[in-house]
Amino acid sequence: MKNLKISASLAALAIATPFTVAFAAAHPDTEMEAGLEHPLTPAGAKAYVEAVEAEAFEFADIAGRAYWVNSTYINEDTDKLAAYFGTIATEKGVEYATKAAAYAAVKGLDYDTARKLNIMRGGLTLAAPTTEGAAAELNTIATDLNSQYGRGKAELNGEEVPGNDAEAMMGTNRNPEELAQLWASWHDNVGAPMKDDYARLVEIANEGARELGFADTGAMWRSGYDMTPEEFSAMYDRLWGEVKPLYEDLHCYVRSGISDYYGDEIQPDDGYIRADLLGNMWAQGWGNVYPLVAPEGAGDIGYDLTDLLVSNNVDAEGIARISERFYTSLGLDPLPESFWTKSQIVRPEGREVVCHASAWNIDNVDDLRIKMCTKVNADDFVTMHHELGHNYYQRAYNQKSYFYLNGANDGFHEAIGDFIALSVTPEYLVQIGLLDADKVPSADKDIGLLLNQAMDKVAFLPFGLLVDKWRWGVFDGSITPDEYNDAWVSLKQQYQGVTPPVDRPADAFDPGAKYHIPGNTPYARYFLAHILQFQFYKAACETAGWDGPLHRCSFYGNEEVGTKLNNMLEMGASKPWPDALEAFTGTREMSADAMVEYFAPLQAWLKEQNEGKNCTWPGA
């Protein structure tokens, strides 16, 4: 999570492309200068940036506290507080962005001024138009959507089930009828009521994006990667093409295993996989059904991480303490004591909260916190390592000026914790005392280890890709409100090869049942992070001098890796992301090569298992 988690952040969400000529032509200098505090000169532009940074830094502190309270104590009062500050943030963000566009057209700007102006122009998540009342309406809708999600409940056999409990049950329940109940009730109860409000939010946000010179909100999001929206889309599709064969091999194998377990009547061994049978509410990660598809012998990895945590009496805070020790083992400083007193590590009783895990730096200095409803299981053990990656990134760049208080791009921010979590290997579990050395799986268990990892990392890729492909279509109008759900289902079928367990009604809004849609969090970052984390991981293992299969590498305790990592993190958003990537990995291009190398032994094995099967699905 970024330094301010709001619908229209004053901080940089990403790096915008240079100011466009079309926008400048529509706003001549004589008109623009009238509303500007500083002259349209290099010195005036620099003065404007400095004034905005001072104001935004001060506002971010108090606003961040309002959002924190709203996320950890949902009620009518905190909703109004969050909407109030969100409205101010949106209005100021749009004002800053509009004026930044004027200053960005000035010739002779120094590097930092030009970069920060571009960040201001393209750094909004949702931009309200300057029409009176538009910012207030946008933020009221955004706040309400977020809170609706937090209050959401599924149902099972007539009983209400809180959202995070429903998610956990999807991973452990093996009754196909009950799984269908949980899936359908969550999507119906949470998603469907949001549809009209979401359509209105899109309408307002697009008006705002167009006022800033973007074709639509999706184009504005794609402009934040030191390249044009078109160049980003091409890179996005290229990366998917590099990993698609690996995903198709995994899908084919898992579909057969699910079919063997449930029977052909429930899950045929061809076509799509029924979404609720994959151990996750959105079929975005399949690790919970690994036991159902693990082949005898080759699939048994010899231990269960959840069992290890329970048998070693590790509680939720203990998971956080263990995760922190990974980072300190690299030579990084411990988290501040306030982290342990101010974080929401477990779900509090007696109030509604947003359980979706996120990491915060409230004052953009050292008020680091996480918000989780941690359960003692393997998933949350890995998630905690991930979330602390955000916190350590936030602290590493906290000496930068305001608009550089962010990752090199949003995919970097997600990838840091992810590549640390890749080092949660059997060797690491021995190092921290959770696993006995004689229980480390031998080399003949490698297929099981890789399959278990692929059930999360590889299975996620098409979902990570399609969420924003859907939103980009919504924003550019190619997906209309009456097509929202059909398009969502179609994209999940096309890219994931999964399909709903029940027919979806015409008024369904299944996208709303995924937090990042009502939470208005761009999702391409997660797809990029799944690519970047393997690049980072391979670079760290090479720095640590690892000698062995890549997937067995743990760089726990290697301070050389920590120094090199921190050098990249300290850059924040001050340089284009290829500079940051090169600083740690030695290359300037995102590539899935490291991921494909990591899973190469598994892919060869999968092809053997799938021989003679029809490994496609309709529309693939």
Side-chain angles (χ1 to χ4, degrees):
M1 168 177 165
K2 57 185 183 297
N3 52 330
L4 250 188
K5 188 179 188 302
I6 53 180
S7 60
S9 173
L10 295 179
L13 174 61
I15 310 305
T17 54
F19 172 75
T20 62
V21 175
F23 190 84
H27 296 73
D29 287 356
T30 54
E31 293 179 15
M32 292 179 129
E33 200 158 11
L36 302 179
E37 298 88 342
H38 305 279
L40 283 167
T41 64
K46 183 174 183 179
Y48 172 70
V49 169
E50 290 173 349
V52 169
E53 289 199 299
E55 182 180 36
F57 193 95
E58 182 179 355
F59 177 79
D61 187 0
I62 188 65
R65 297 176 195 278
Y67 304 131
W68 173 264
V69 172
N70 183 232
S71 291
T72 59
Y73 205 117
I74 300 172
N75 60 33
E76 182 180 358
D77 295 328
T78 64
D79 278 356
K80 287 185 179 297
L81 284 171
Y84 172 79
F85 282 103
T87 298
I88 295 173
T90 300
E91 290 173 339
K92 286 190 173 294
V94 171
E95 176 190 346
Y96 296 159
T98 302
K99 292 178 179 179
Y103 286 112
V106 173
K107 303 292 186 182
L109 298 176
D110 65 84
Y111 171 85
D112 286 315
T113 298
R115 186 167 183 79
K116 290 174 182 178
L117 288 169
N118 287 334
I119 287 171
M120 275 190 265
R121 177 175 174 257
L124 299 175
T125 302
L126 299 180
T130 53
T131 308
E132 185 176 354
E137 183 182 4
L138 179 67
N139 277 279
T140 297
I141 294 172
T143 299
D144 184 57
L145 290 174
N146 191 64
S147 294
Q148 281 187 56
Y149 187 93
R151 290 190 292 264
K153 302 285 193 300
E155 296 172 14
L156 182 62
N157 299 326
E159 299 290 331
E160 285 191 341
V161 183
N164 67 313
D165 290 339
E167 290 178 34
M169 292 170 71
M170 291 293 293
T172 58
N173 195 313
R174 300 291 183 251
N175 182 316
E177 293 182 0
E178 292 187 349
L179 287 169
Q181 277 187 57
L182 286 166
W183 190 98
S185 61
W186 176 256
H187 285 76
D188 291 344
N189 295 348
V190 178
M194 299 179 179
K195 183 178 179 180
D196 291 343
D197 283 343
Y198 189 80
R200 176 58 181 154
L201 177 142
V202 168
E203 183 180 350
I204 299 171
N206 271 344
E207 289 179 25
R210 285 191 288 269
E211 280 193 14
L212 294 176
F214 298 100
D216 56 69
T217 301
M220 184 173 74
W221 288 7
R222 296 193 302 280
S223 75
Y225 294 91
D226 293 306
M227 54 179 62
T228 67
E230 294 75 20
E231 289 170 337
F232 179 79
S233 294
M235 181 184 74
Y236 202 60
D237 289 335
R238 171 181 63 80
L239 292 171
W240 168 241
E242 292 174 7
V243 295
K244 182 181 178 185
L246 174 60
Y247 177 78
E248 290 174 337
D249 289 337
L250 178 68
H251 180 282
C252 189
Y253 173 80
V254 170
R255 183 180 61 194
S256 292
I258 296 292
S259 180
D260 289 344
Y261 182 84
Y262 284 106
D264 198 62
E265 290 186 2
I266 292 173
Q267 175 57 63
D269 191 14
D270 58 19
Y272 306 122
I273 302 176
R274 211 177 95 173
D276 60 324
L277 303 181
L278 288 165
N280 176 272
M281 186 68 78
W282 308 278
Q284 71 181 64
W286 305 346
N288 287 321
V289 298
Y290 172 79
L292 306 190
V293 302
E296 185 176 352
D300 178 14
I301 64 174
Y303 68 90
D304 182 281
L305 180 51
T306 299
D307 291 344
L308 292 177
L309 293 169
V310 172
S311 64
N312 282 276
N313 298 313
V314 178
D315 60 11
E317 182 174 325
I319 289 176
R321 298 279 184 184
I322 290 171
S323 302
E324 179 195 35
R325 285 202 298 275
F326 195 110
Y327 293 89
T328 58
S329 83
L330 301 180
L332 306 180
D333 291 336
L335 295 165
E337 188 57 34
S338 60
F339 174 89
W340 303 103
T341 59
K342 295 181 177 181
S343 290
Q344 176 191 291
I345 295 177
V346 297
R347 183 181 188 123
E349 295 183 4
R351 66 180 195 255
E352 297 287 352
V353 301
V354 176
C355 277
H356 182 82
S358 55
W360 302 58
N361 188 352
I362 298 294
D363 63 1
N364 287 317
V365 183
D366 59 4
D367 189 353
L368 303 169
R369 310 179 190 182
I370 59 159
K371 175 184 60 59
M372 285 182 64
C373 299
T374 313
K375 294 182 180 295
V376 179
N377 59 36
D379 284 349
D380 281 6
F381 185 80
V382 172
T383 297
M384 186 69 73
H385 282 73
H386 168 90
E387 292 303 330
L388 295 197
H390 287 298
N391 285 142
Y392 273 93
Y393 206 164
Q394 290 161 341
R395 185 167 65 180
Y397 56 58
N398 69 4
Q399 298 302 307
K400 295 294 183 186
S401 52
Y402 186 77
F403 284 108
Y404 290 161
L405 294 175
N406 216 325
N409 68 38
D410 52 10
F412 273 64
H413 231 306
E414 298 300 330
I416 297 305
D418 280 346
F419 103 88
I420 295 292
L422 282 175
S423 202
V424 179
T425 62
E427 287 76 10
Y428 166 60
L429 298 178
V430 171
Q431 288 174 297
I432 63 176
L434 285 181
L435 182 66
D436 293 337
D438 61 0
K439 298 290 180 63
V440 172
S442 55
D444 64 346
K445 305 296 186 184
D446 276 6
I447 292 301
L449 289 166
L450 286 168
L451 179 59
N452 195 39
Q453 189 76 284
M455 297 285 280
D456 283 319
K457 300 296 185 182
V458 178
F460 174 83
L461 292 167
F463 184 79
L465 182 92
L466 71 85
V467 172
D468 275 355
K469 277 190 172 287
W470 177 83
R471 266 192 297 212
W472 297 341
V474 167
F475 288 136
D476 71 19
S478 60
I479 298 174
T480 61
D482 62 334
E483 298 168 331
Y484 277 177
N485 213 67
D486 287 346
W488 177 263
V489 171
S490 178
L491 284 168
K492 286 177 70 67
Q493 290 174 337
Q494 176 186 348
Y495 285 100
Q496 285 185 285
V498 304
T499 199
V502 297
D503 289 337
R504 307 307 297 138
D507 61 350
F509 185 52
D510 293 348
K514 175 61 180 171
Y515 169 77
H516 300 76
I517 300 297
N520 294 301
T521 304
Y523 212 77
R525 63 185 63 175
Y526 301 105
F527 175 76
L528 298 180
H530 273 65
I531 303 297
L532 282 168
Q533 66 185 266
F534 287 91
Q535 284 190 269
F536 292 158
Y537 180 71
K538 183 178 180 180
C541 293
E542 289 175 347
T543 298
W546 175 258
D547 183 18
L550 185 57
H551 64 275
R552 289 270 186 161
C553 167
S554 175
F555 46 86
Y556 178 80
N558 190 289
E559 294 194 2
E560 185 180 355
V561 171
T563 298
K564 195 172 180 180
L565 172 63
N566 206 53
N567 288 340
M568 177 179 71
L569 302 185
E570 286 177 342
M571 296 168 68
S574 65
K575 301 292 182 184
W577 65 260
D579 291 0
L581 182 65
E582 186 176 29
F584 192 66
T585 69
T587 180
R588 298 179 62 81
E589 183 176 272
M590 284 193 219
S591 168
D593 288 350
M595 186 180 203
V596 173
E597 176 187 342
Y598 183 98
F599 288 110
L602 173 67
Q603 187 171 15
W605 181 85
L606 289 172
K607 287 184 180 298
E608 292 178 0
Q609 308 307 307
N610 294 336
E611 190 172 353
K613 296 179 181 177
N614 178 11
C615 288
T616 62
W617 57 85

